[in-house]
Amino acid sequence: MKDRIPRRRFVQAAAGSAALAWLGSGQAPTLFSAEAAKPALLGGTPVHQGGWPGWPGWRTAWESPILDVLRSGHWSSAGGGGRAAEFEAAYAKLLGAAGCVATASGTTALLTALHVMGVDAGDEVIVSPYTFIATYNVVLMHKALPVFADTDPATLTMDPASIESRITDRTRAILPVHIYGMPCDMDPINAIAKKHNLAVVEDACQAWLAEYKGRKCGTLGDLGCFSFQNSKHIASGEGGAVTGNRVELVDRCHAFHDCGRAHGTFKGRGCFSRGSNFRMTHYQAALLLQQIDKLVTETQRRRENADYLTAGLKQIPGIQPARLPENSRAVWHLYPFRYDPAEFHGLSRDKFMRALSAEGVPCGGGYHEQYYDGLLDEAINSRGFKRLFSAERLKAYRESFRELSGNRTVCQTTVGLFNTLLLSERSAMDHIIEAVRKIHAHSAALAKTS
């Protein structure tokens, strides 16, 4: 389907003209030419005719420290020290965490954290369904079931009210996802986890510097996991991190990601314990170290532009920006809003997105109901899962997908703008708002187009 554009391809497709001075003023617009007032899909002039910031950016000043690492011949972080250790210390300080372990990817960060929190074969993990597929896969790779809490349509994140009904005697952990850099409502999630003696691992792979009630995401549960993949706000091509406030847990993560070598307070059994090679290289760490100040500056710009967008878009009937928890700040890996076709004369979301893209504002539909794609069917029909779970449990598990009405609504109605749009000038935010206004004003005619 056209609204199922993969997030990374949507990022690549993201491709800025003077602001309309009346936008955001609450005043009626000055007169447009007929062509300018008409949607681009109906032959009018696109509102935004320039480009958008590209991603990722490169700075020549970053070259020397990376070349120093390459010329040293000390590229691997095995044995500790070097740029990887420097980045771990700097990132932990940035988040206010007790420690950080730099990993090969966000996926390997999640694998590490789940192992350290004791997730094992035959366990169950409560997971957000509205997320990148890696969140499902890391649970399956532990031969555990990813059991889905529902998504709150107002926040696009895990609905705390839906968690307890999913808990069984096999539940080991809760894995909330701060999707698009929007914090989950962590107080009730943590309260449920404490009540049932469950671990909490935050999937903060899109939430660098996101805040919940004065604390950074990645420091709110037992462990937090981050990604530095190419599209991320701080990028090293691939890369990730595990963060936490309990030194003993961070030390166990370090041991696991370094082939099981004893580390710090965690001595293992003999020289090695169970583990894998999930280490980050020193030249990746050197690249990340130089982006920390850039991350802070660009996060502030994204927030300011997102606040401006929200104020303008929520005035348009049928457009509902996401709601954040009280006293929280997002970082907007995507800027999402919910779209109601009933307020646009029945204009489908697919046609709305085509019309918005035609106005020079690239957009996508975000995630779909991935639990129907066959991945989970393959897993629960495998020999291993049939050994670990009863036929009755697997049948009930498969049928439980139908209960995810909130997630279904979110998947069918969400529209997302990639974060680089938020790095543009304020005038470009006016263009986005005006493009949506124009589509709303002409939605009846647009709904009749093929």
Side-chain angles (χ1 to χ4, degrees), residues 39 42 339 341-348 351 437-450:
L42 298 179
Y339 170 74
E343 296 286 351
F344 283 73
H345 293 92
L347 182 71
S348 71
K351 285 186 178 180
R437 288 184 194 270
K438 186 196 289 192
I439 295 166
H440 182 267
H442 295 268
S443 55
L446 285 165
K448 296 175 183 178
T449 62
S450 57

Side-chain angles (χ1 to χ4, degrees), residues 240-288:
V242 184
T243 57
N245 282 326
R246 291 163 58 190
V247 172
E248 68 275 16
L249 290 181
V250 176
D251 284 349
R252 289 184 63 193
C253 288
H254 198 288
F256 183 80
H257 103 299
D258 189 21
C259 301
R261 287 183 175 88
H263 184 85
T265 61
F266 183 68
K267 304 304 181 184
R269 288 172 171 79
C271 294
F272 290 92
S273 59
R274 284 187 294 162
S276 188
N277 181 356
F278 292 158
R279 297 185 299 257
M280 177 182 286
T281 63
H282 285 310
Y283 43 85
Q284 287 174 300
L287 177 56
L288 291 169

Side-chain angles (χ1 to χ4, degrees), residues 173-388:
I174 303 175
L175 183 53
V177 182
H178 305 301
I179 201 65
Y180 300 156
M182 300 184 297
C184 296
D185 194 358
M186 291 300 296
D187 281 353
I189 292 173
N190 283 331
I192 293 168
K194 183 177 181 180
K195 175 182 176 182
H196 295 275
N197 194 29
L198 303 175
V200 176
V201 175
E202 300 170 73
D203 183 336
C205 287
Q206 299 179 8
W208 331 259
L209 299 185
E211 295 180 15
Y212 177 83
K213 298 184 178 180
R215 295 170 61 194
K216 299 289 195 302
C217 290
T219 70
L220 304 168
D222 292 293
L223 292 169
C225 300
F226 294 87
S227 171
F228 309 126
Q229 182 270 340
N230 219 64
S231 70
K232 302 310 197 312
H233 294 190
I234 175 170
S236 54
E238 299 292 347
V242 184
T243 57
N245 282 326
R246 291 163 58 190
V247 172
E248 68 275 16
L249 290 181
V250 176
D251 284 349
R252 289 184 63 193
C253 288
H254 198 288
F256 183 80
H257 103 299
D258 189 21
C259 301
R261 287 183 175 88
H263 184 85
T265 61
F266 183 68
K267 304 304 181 184
R269 288 172 171 79
C271 294
F272 290 92
S273 59
R274 284 187 294 162
S276 188
N277 181 356
F278 292 158
R279 297 185 299 257
M280 177 182 286
T281 63
H282 285 310
Y283 43 85
Q284 287 174 300
L287 177 56
L288 291 169
L289 273 166
Q290 297 176 93
Q291 295 181 66
I292 288 178
D293 290 344
K294 176 176 177 285
L295 173 67
V296 173
T297 300
E298 291 182 342
T299 295
Q300 181 61 29
R301 186 178 186 87
R302 289 186 185 96
R303 283 174 172 159
E304 291 171 354
N305 277 334
D307 288 347
Y308 186 84
L309 266 185
T310 296
L313 290 176
K314 71 181 182 180
Q315 304 301 320
I316 304 173
I319 302 297
Q320 179 184 340
R323 174 173 58 80
L324 299 175
E326 184 180 4
N327 298 325
S328 298
R329 297 200 296 172
V331 294
W332 308 114
H333 187 48
L334 264 70
Y335 177 89
F337 56 85
R338 297 262 316 287
Y339 170 74
D340 183 1
E343 296 286 351
F344 283 73
H345 293 92
L347 182 71
S348 71
R349 182 182 65 158
D350 182 57
K351 285 186 178 180
F352 171 84
M353 291 191 298
R354 284 169 48 204
L356 189 57
S357 295
E359 296 296 340
V361 181
C363 58
Y367 301 107
H368 60 280
E369 292 186 275
Q370 300 168 108
Y371 35 78
Y372 288 132
D373 282 356
L375 169 68
L376 295 173
D377 291 316
E378 177 188 357
I380 64 178
N381 288 317
S382 69
R383 183 174 68 256
F385 274 82
K386 287 181 178 179
R387 285 174 175 169
L388 292 165

Side-chain angles (χ1 to χ4, degrees), residues 5-45:
I5 303 172
R7 180 174 58 83
R8 292 178 185 172
R9 182 149 53 87
F10 165 52
V11 169
Q12 294 166 353
S17 116
L20 299 172
W22 59 273
L23 281 174
S25 68
Q27 303 298 316
T30 53
L31 292 177
F32 295 91
S33 69
E35 182 180 347
K38 188 188 302 182
L41 273 189
L42 298 179
T45 302

